[in-house]
Amino acid sequence: MVFDEMLEKEAGIEILNLMAPKLMQWREDAKEKRLPSTKVEFLSKKIEALPIEGQSLLFGNYVFDLNSESMEILYEINDSDIHLVFFEHLLSEIMGIQEGERISDISMEKACKKALSRIADAPEMISFPERVARSFGKAVAAILIVGIISFGTALAVNAEFRDSVIRWFMEATKQYTLFRLENENELDSSELKKFIPSYIPERYHLYSRDVVTGFATYTYVDVNEDLLDVSICMPEANAYLNTEGMKKEVITINGQQAFLYHDGVHGSLATSIDGYALYVTGKASREDFIKIAENVVKK
């Protein structure tokens, strides 16, 4: 039974909780051991053999530099720190590392990048879990940050597709979630003013349109003075969206990954359009949030 299957059972969760103090102490006290290049190559192949959770956490930590909160949100894994250390400890044992030592962060980073490179170029070797496909869709493969190994088939279609990858970075607090979109391509900020929302719920009318360096925001208001904002921003600009008490969904909008938070009345949505970040916040139905984002056009 693989590790992710074991965790579906209460006994597996309890065992991991019992192991947690010892694992975290090992991570803190163990001395780093740097591996020679031949062993790094061997380690990378062992990483490829891990369950999807293990690969996702290792890649998230050592390739994409995600923090634990971001990985918990993106991979929907509780206590991601403990899970990560479990796989680190497992790999150290597999590699024959002595007691009191662990594989160095530099060696882990090199091995993870090697494994990730091979996975991205070998789609036929990658499983495509039904749950992931149903939740996100193959088009979301363009977002490396959300489990590249789960979406390798679409990601590896061609080099041009891989080169156009954009990445979401997220950090969650109790009340807000920080979103930041990173795009390797250079974009022109003057293009922001060309994006226009073509659908807004009938009860709203335009209150203001602000186009300044880095973002364009359309603010709408209704008779009750409820607000609805649609913003198109340059990549790498931080956006703090209210997500407190809201149910999170990860969906696909116009072929791009979208994070939708909604409590039945208010909501926040983050997605991308032509490499720019697109945010919708305010009071509207779940369906309206999706329709608004789907109908932002460039003129």
Side-chain angles (χ1 to χ4, degrees), residues 17-164:
N17 288 335
L18 292 173
M19 293 171 61
K22 185 176 181 180
L23 285 172
M24 300 307 289
Q25 193 65 47
W26 168 82
R27 184 65 169 78
E28 181 177 345
D29 296 341
K31 295 181 179 179
E32 292 193 38
K33 180 176 179 60
R34 193 163 182 171
L35 303 179
S37 58
T38 54
K39 288 195 173 184
V40 168
E41 180 68 23
F42 182 72
L43 174 61
S44 71
K45 294 178 179 179
K46 294 301 179 183
I47 291 172
E48 285 185 72
L50 290 176
I52 291 221
E53 281 87 348
Q55 294 183 30
S56 297
L57 290 168
L58 288 167
F59 293 156
N61 186 68
Y62 290 104
V63 178
F64 301 118
D65 197 29
L66 298 180
N67 60 25
S68 58
E69 291 82 4
S70 297
M71 289 195 288
E72 288 185 5
I73 292 172
L74 293 171
Y75 303 136
E76 296 184 350
I77 299 175
N78 294 327
D79 300 319
S80 62
D81 283 342
I82 299 172
H83 288 74
L84 176 63
V85 176
F86 173 88
F87 287 108
E88 289 178 338
H89 189 272
L90 177 63
L91 289 170
S92 289
E93 290 189 340
I94 291 174
M95 296 298 295
I97 304 299
Q98 295 181 0
E99 186 72 22
E101 293 183 333
R102 64 177 178 85
I103 300 169
S104 71
D105 290 346
I106 292 176
S107 296
M108 288 292 293
E109 179 181 339
K110 290 181 178 179
C112 285
K113 288 181 177 179
K114 284 178 177 288
L116 185 57
S117 177
R118 283 197 299 269
I119 288 173
D121 288 328
E124 71 279 359
M125 299 296 292
I126 304 169
S127 61
F128 200 98
E130 181 181 353
R131 177 181 64 81
V132 176
R134 184 173 61 249
S135 299
F136 303 108
K138 291 185 179 181
V140 187
I143 311 299
L144 275 176
I145 203 171
V146 189
I148 182 175
I149 56 173
S150 298
F151 308 108
T153 301
L155 182 67
V157 170
N158 55 56
E160 182 180 356
F161 190 77
R162 289 198 298 271
D163 289 342
S164 67

Side-chain angles (χ1 to χ4, degrees), residues 206-274:
L206 183 63
Y207 176 76
S208 65
R209 176 177 178 266
D210 298 308
V211 180
V212 298
T213 302
F215 69 91
T217 297
Y218 298 81
T219 299
Y220 301 86
V221 65
D222 67 6
V223 295
N224 297 317
E225 298 187 351
D226 290 323
L227 297 176
L228 181 68
D229 288 323
V230 180
S231 298
I232 304 92
C233 306
M234 292 294 292
E236 301 185 3
N238 290 338
Y240 289 87
L241 304 189
N242 179 14
T243 57
E244 183 180 15
M246 297 183 183
K247 178 183 177 181
K248 176 178 74 72
E249 296 180 70
V250 185
I251 58 178
T252 301
I253 295 179
N254 294 335
Q256 299 300 318
Q257 185 180 42
F259 300 90
L260 174 61
Y261 297 79
H262 206 272
D263 62 7
V265 178
H266 302 86
S268 296
L269 184 149
T271 187
S272 61
I273 179 170
D274 291 353

